[in-house]
Amino acid sequence: MVWQIAEDYACASVLLRLPGYSPMPAFGEVIDVPLVVRHAQKSKAQVYIELGLQEDTHLCVFIYGGQPPGEWELREENLPEGWICVVCSGGKPIVSDTKLPSNFRLAKPDDFIPDLVNAANCALGKIGYGTTSECLGHGTPFIFIRRDYFNEEPFLRKQLEVHGLGMEMKRRDFLSGNWAPFLSKTLTMESNFNEATNGAEVVARMLEHIARHKGYIPIPEPPEGDIGTANGYNANGPPRGRAVARAGAGRLRDAIVFGYMMQRHRARGKVEVPEWYVPGAVRATSPETPRVSAAVQASSAATQEALAAFDITHGKENLDRCADTAAFLSMLHHLDDPVDEKADPPELPERLAAKSLFRWEDEVIVTRAPGRLDVMGGIGDYSGCLVLQKPTAEACHVACQRHPLAKQKVWKHIQNRHKGHSPKPVLRVVSFHADDTNRSPTFDMDLTELLRDGQPISYSEARTYFKSDPATSWAAYVAGPLVVLMHELGLRYPQGISLLLSSAVPEGKGVSSSAAVEVAVMQALCAAHDVHIDGRHLALLCQKVENYVAGAPCGVMDQMASSLGDQQALMAMSCQPAEVEPEVPIPSHLKFWGLDSGVRHSIGGADYGSVRAGAFMGLRIMTQQKTTEGPEPLGNGYLCSIRPSLYAQHYEENLPDSMTGADFLAKYHHHYDHATQISEDRSYAVRQPTAHAINENHRVRCFRQMLLGPLESPEQLMNLGDLMYQSHAGYSRCGLGSDGTDRLVALVRQEQAMARLHQEPPVLYGAKITGGGSGGSVCILGAATAEAEAAVQRIISKYAEETGFNPYEFRGTSIGASRFGHIKLMRR
């Protein structure tokens, strides 16, 4: 359906684009027009008189749209003293036979909403273009509750925030009636929006011109600087135009914004997105976490600043081993610098929220955990496969502090939530780079919510709790370690906890950003509570977070690599269930690169889960084929224990290509796997997922053996690469490939072909999709030479030229979290 919409859009002559637009690369011609605003017709004084309000009364307009009644309740205590809330619901009662509290009023059916917005001190509701434009046009702060899966929301939200008019209210605060601190805060917010709001007039004139001159579109006039001019188009001047050729649809593969494939018109050279959203995965340099290369360049200065700012009582050696850690500590040092009220753009909400997280006179714990680049093994981890993983130079940093109740500081909405109650320990989390994936930058909860009658809530209860609000579902990876430590190690949390996360591991690229967060948080919590566990145990606990709390059916290789990895080596692990083997040094004449395809990867996606389920279905069928008397799983439950030759000779032809869940359950009843469930109404591929698991283990063992031996001949190097190509093909046969990753692998093959054409030895040897597949990144093996580096850069350039997406390049390695340990520091 998305592709069809893009095809249809590509036939349009022109896109008249409004401020706050979301990317629409299918269009060939784009003209930016002013904000379309319904302007107020009455003054604030007139509205107050009609409502019977005193001049000193504060007014909130509640515009709830299609919010189902019954999920929330209007109570008098929702509002601060001196406030009145007008509810806009088309004049209809919120719930039949329910009387509104005395400080709430129901707007009349014929009330003009812009009049109310103009008169109000703030508006409250869900983000949509109409409410956003009216708040911007009238300078009214907008308290918004995030909508589920509304793709336009991040762009409209950013419009509000950069103009000083947007403030988020968490869903739990909205539903519980904890409105007062948010409403009070809007009284101090000031609008800096001074752009044109006559978009309706401008668009009308342009549409009239297009209708009268078929095949022509207006050309923007030079800016004139008055209200009739917006982004260069003079609404009052004579329209001009030029012919437009209808070039049709030019399919853009993998130009991804927030995970959706879109399409670009041939006439356009790139995908246009708002300035704040950087195309590709390379985020704008921020004060939170610089790019790794920038951190390395400034490592000496950052280290000196950190040593001058903090008394580091443990882990000081990490500043020399990890340049990005020095940069993180430098950021901590400047965290509570005075706010620049005139900053353009204004400071991000997460940075403002982080200013009050820590008591600098007491100890703060800092941990670091890298992502991982899957070299070989990938999805074979759940079948007991040997896996080879390279820790990335990119990592997640966490700062953690415990707070005795007498010293605990909390945000104002938490104070209001606790009003009338004794102090409670609170978890407060701030996550930088929230804009990258449109998630809420903060999370908080009372730690007592993790208990039922003095005992930890169940894993299923925790999973339901964190999934209740999609905007904060990411908190499962951060607060999940608290739940697991309660269940597995008996921890309790009588004190408050603050966590600050800053991750340079890009999300959705198939390099285990979630594992890096889990491992860094788990390490920080253990250090803060004086719990000592080894790196392997740490990783196993983090897998429980992913499986039981976040609900993602992954194996343990990601967490093991993030915890136990080392520089210039591949972590080797036999996943039976998690036996770490001697690491495999990366030969000095070889190098691995990771390139992001732009196709957003999700380990929790249906494809990954169905392929995993299909592999275990194959194991169950083969087990019953061998014996029917209460069988234990074949190979002790590990598909990789079956030799490829035995599989081909005795089992393969008896496995179905696919099978419905209903047919499988009727005949075999279960499939051994605790992390996936079989749905009766789904069809599962069986033969290919089973074969991939068995053959991948054999490929990985051959790959390791060759890396450990002398690699002297070109044929040996090409054989290494061919094992990677075979692995990549196995993913595709399972249904876990993608256009983007296939194209990157094809470009590596093209580089090899061009080298042979010029009678030169290839400098790139092989490539494969990584991790859970279905997008994400590609791992490339090549020579550690300038020629190979140049070949990789040609691939990046070619891919960017074809798709408009500039791949993020993963290069370098770093130490795992258990080797890093933790840092203890106090401000001098």
Side-chain angles (χ1 to χ4, degrees):
M1 183 178 69
V2 173
W3 279 114
Q4 185 59 55
I5 292 171
E7 293 279 359
D8 294 343
Y9 280 171
C11 296
S13 296
V14 64
L15 168 66
L16 304 182
R17 189 167 62 184
L18 298 167
Y21 63 87
S22 56
M24 294 184 178
F27 292 93
E29 296 292 339
V30 175
I31 295 179
D32 290 308
V33 298
L35 199 67
V36 173
V37 177
R38 295 190 302 170
H39 294 283
Q41 298 174 359
K42 298 177 182 177
S43 67
K44 176 176 180 176
Q46 288 177 296
V47 172
Y48 266 50
I49 290 172
E50 292 179 2
L51 291 173
L53 302 181
Q54 300 295 321
E55 289 184 8
D56 60 350
T57 301
H58 298 305
L59 177 62
C60 171
V61 179
F62 177 28
I63 307 171
Y64 72 90
Q67 185 80 26
E71 287 191 12
W72 40 265
E73 181 182 355
L74 301 180
R75 298 184 294 270
E76 188 171 342
E77 57 268 25
N78 287 15
L79 307 181
E81 186 176 351
W83 280 76
I84 292 292
C85 179
V86 174
V87 181
C88 300
S89 62
K92 300 177 182 178
I94 308 301
V95 180
S96 60
D97 301 325
T98 300
K99 185 178 179 181
L100 288 175
S102 60
N103 51 355
F104 284 81
R105 309 283 176 82
L106 188 64
K108 299 175 183 177
D110 58 349
D111 280 343
F112 190 47
I113 302 300
D115 289 339
L116 296 173
V117 171
N118 180 53
N121 297 96
C122 69
L124 169 65
K126 299 184 298 181
I127 285 182
Y129 187 86
T131 309
T132 298
S133 66
E134 287 162 15
C135 286
L136 287 169
H138 297 97
T140 304
F142 186 17
I143 304 172
F144 62 88
I145 298 95
R146 291 184 187 239
R147 299 170 67 171
D148 297 349
Y149 315 115
F150 179 48
N151 294 333
E152 289 84 357
E153 180 180 274
F155 305 96
L156 295 173
R157 172 178 58 81
K158 183 56 67 171
Q159 276 285 104
L160 290 163
E161 290 177 352
V162 299
H163 293 297
L165 291 174
M167 178 166 55
E168 179 180 1
M169 180 190 289
K170 295 291 193 302
R171 187 171 301 186
R172 65 175 292 172
D173 290 307
F174 170 70
L175 295 176
S176 66
N178 187 23
W179 298 8
F182 300 94
L183 270 59
S184 299
K185 176 65 176 176
T186 62
L187 299 178
T188 65
M189 297 171 67
E190 295 184 7
S191 171
N192 59 22
F193 183 82
N194 57 5
E195 299 176 13
T197 58
N198 64 334
E201 294 88 342
V202 171
V203 169
R205 286 177 57 82
M206 298 175 83
L207 291 176
E208 179 185 0
H209 181 72
I210 293 171
R212 290 181 181 277
H213 304 83
K214 295 181 179 179
Y216 287 78
I217 61 170
I219 296 297
E221 294 282 351
E224 297 184 6
D226 58 35
I227 196 64
T229 302
N231 298 328
Y233 181 77
N234 186 352
N236 301 311
R240 299 185 300 169
R242 63 180 172 85
V244 176
R246 292 179 178 269
R251 184 173 291 262
L252 171 63
R253 300 185 189 278
D254 313 331
I256 310 301
V257 178
F258 296 122
Y260 292 92
M261 286 199 293
M262 293 188 297
Q263 189 156 311
R264 179 190 59 190
H265 196 285
R266 287 180 189 146
R268 304 202 64 78
K270 61 178 179 144
V271 177
E272 291 198 3
V273 295
E275 291 180 2
W276 64 270
Y277 184 88
V278 182
V282 183
R283 63 169 60 96
T285 301
S286 72
E288 287 83 29
T289 304
R291 291 286 310 279
V292 172
S293 58
V296 172
Q297 293 171 8
S299 61
S300 178
T303 299
Q304 293 306 313
E305 182 177 36
L307 292 174
F310 297 109
D311 180 16
I312 299 176
T313 60
H314 180 84
K316 187 183 298 185
E317 68 278 2
N318 287 314
L319 298 184
D320 295 325
R321 295 195 292 176
C322 302
D324 55 346
T325 300
F328 179 73
L329 296 191
S330 177
M331 179 277 297
L332 288 180
H333 173 53
H334 293 287
L335 197 59
D336 55 358
D337 286 354
V339 177
D340 183 359
E341 301 288 351
K342 298 182 180 179
D344 185 20
E347 286 203 73
L348 292 172
E350 55 261 40
R351 190 168 176 84
L352 297 174
K355 289 181 179 293
S356 62
L357 274 182
F358 303 115
R359 309 179 329 275
W360 293 112
E361 68 276 12
D362 290 327
E363 188 175 83
V364 175
I365 301 293
V366 172
T367 56
R368 177 191 185 277
R372 66 97 187 96
L373 182 66
D374 168 41
V375 175
M376 287 292 286
I379 58 171
D381 61 344
Y382 55 69
S383 62
C385 183
L386 175 70
V387 295
L388 300 176
Q389 308 295 306
K390 181 174 82 73
T392 64
E394 294 80 4
C396 174
H397 283 87
V398 168
C400 174
Q401 188 176 57
R402 296 173 65 187
H403 302 281
L405 292 185
K407 295 183 178 182
Q408 178 178 251
K409 298 178 182 179
V410 296
W411 296 315
K412 288 184 179 179
H413 69 275
I414 303 176
Q415 294 175 11
N416 199 67
R417 189 169 76 220
H418 290 175
K419 188 181 296 183
H421 302 279
S422 57
K424 300 177 182 179
V426 173
L427 170 67
R428 290 189 299 158
V429 182
V430 175
S431 175
F432 286 151
H433 311 307
D435 265 347
D436 289 4
T437 51
N438 190 36
R439 52 181 165 75
S440 182
T442 62
F443 173 81
D444 65 84
M445 67 180 301
D446 297 337
L447 287 166
T448 53
E449 294 180 78
L450 298 179
L451 294 171
R452 294 282 183 276
D453 300 324
Q455 296 300 313
I457 61 174
S458 67
Y459 283 132
S460 61
E461 284 181 282
R463 186 163 58 251
T464 300
Y465 178 93
F466 292 116
K467 286 188 174 182
S468 62
D469 184 354
T472 54
S473 60
W474 59 268
Y477 296 97
V478 181
L482 292 166
V483 180
V484 170
L485 287 171
M486 294 173 76
H487 277 278
E488 308 302 327
L489 298 184
L491 260 64
R492 298 294 184 268
Y493 310 106
Q495 298 183 337
I497 300 172
S498 291
L499 293 170
L500 174 63
L501 282 71
S502 183
S503 182
V505 185
E507 298 178 40
K509 311 303 181 187
V511 290
S512 300
S513 58
S514 60
V517 169
E518 294 158 0
V519 171
V521 171
M522 187 74 77
Q523 184 89 323
L525 290 172
C526 287
H529 291 84
D530 201 28
V531 172
H532 303 282
I533 56 177
D534 61 34
R536 181 180 180 277
H537 191 187
L538 180 83
L540 291 172
L541 291 177
C542 290
Q543 185 195 18
K544 292 181 182 293
V545 174
E546 190 108 26
N547 289 170
Y548 300 154
V549 183
C554 71
V556 74
M557 76 172 188
D558 297 352
Q559 293 80 9
M560 284 290 186
S562 185
S563 176
L564 297 172
D566 199 3
Q567 289 179 306
Q568 302 305 319
L570 303 180
M571 185 211 70
M573 184 181 73
S574 176
C575 304
Q576 300 188 20
E579 304 307 317
V580 179
E581 301 188 5
E583 64 186 26
V584 180
I586 299 173
S588 58
H589 62 292
L590 294 181
K591 184 173 181 178
F592 293 98
W593 292 264
L595 295 184
D596 167 33
S597 68
V599 182
R600 187 169 177 79
H601 156 84
S602 173
I603 193 72
D607 286 339
Y608 175 90
S610 64
V611 170
R612 173 171 176 154
F616 279 95
M617 290 164 72
L619 175 64
R620 179 73 178 90
I621 293 170
M622 291 191 298
T623 299
Q624 186 150 320
Q625 177 186 333
K626 183 179 179 183
T627 174
T628 58
E629 299 178 2
E632 289 297 319
L634 197 64
N636 293 319
Y638 297 115
L639 274 170
C640 70
S641 298
I642 303 170
R643 300 288 295 179
S645 57
L646 292 176
Y647 169 74
Q649 183 174 357
H650 297 293
Y651 299 108
E652 184 172 20
E653 65 179 14
N654 295 320
L655 288 179
D657 287 332
S658 62
M659 194 173 192
T660 66
D663 288 345
F664 175 84
L665 292 173
K667 186 172 183 179
Y668 301 103
H669 311 299
H670 63 85
H671 73 319
Y672 304 124
D673 186 28
H674 69 277
T676 58
Q677 305 220 343
I678 295 177
S679 299
E680 291 189 1
D681 57 351
R682 286 198 62 176
S683 178
Y684 295 86
V686 175
R687 182 180 295 175
Q688 291 297 347
T690 305
H692 179 81
I694 293 170
N695 293 326
E696 183 71 1
N697 184 61
H698 180 71
R699 287 190 287 262
V700 180
R701 293 189 177 278
C702 292
F703 194 91
R704 178 177 64 173
Q705 185 176 1
M706 295 174 69
L707 279 181
L708 291 172
L711 280 169
E712 298 173 351
S713 71
E715 183 179 2
Q716 288 176 305
L717 297 172
M718 298 308 294
N719 286 340
L720 267 179
D722 194 63
L723 291 170
M724 298 180 75
Y725 287 137
Q726 291 177 37
S727 177
H728 180 81
Y731 270 81
S732 296
R733 285 193 293 269
C734 289
L736 293 177
S738 75
D739 287 345
T741 49
D742 285 349
R743 183 59 185 147
L744 284 170
V745 171
L747 289 172
V748 174
R749 287 189 179 275
Q750 284 185 17
E751 283 290 330
Q752 293 177 327
M754 290 300 296
R756 295 189 186 98
L757 184 64
H758 292 91
Q759 297 184 340
E760 297 172 352
V763 291
L764 299 183
Y765 308 127
K768 63 177 284 289
I769 193 172
T770 66
S774 296
S777 298
V778 162
C779 177
I780 300 173
L781 170 65
T785 63
E787 291 78 11
E789 186 67 51
V792 171
Q793 295 306 314
R794 286 194 295 271
I795 290 171
I796 292 174
S797 297
K798 180 67 173 175
Y799 190 78
E801 178 184 346
E802 291 179 354
T803 67
F805 180 86
N806 188 35
Y808 188 103
E809 181 183 358
F810 296 94
R811 55 168 65 230
T813 60
S814 63
I815 58 175
S818 63
R819 298 176 190 272
F820 183 96
H822 63 274
I823 290 175
K824 290 183 179 180
L825 58 83
M826 294 174 60
R827 180 169 286 173
R828 293 187 185 278

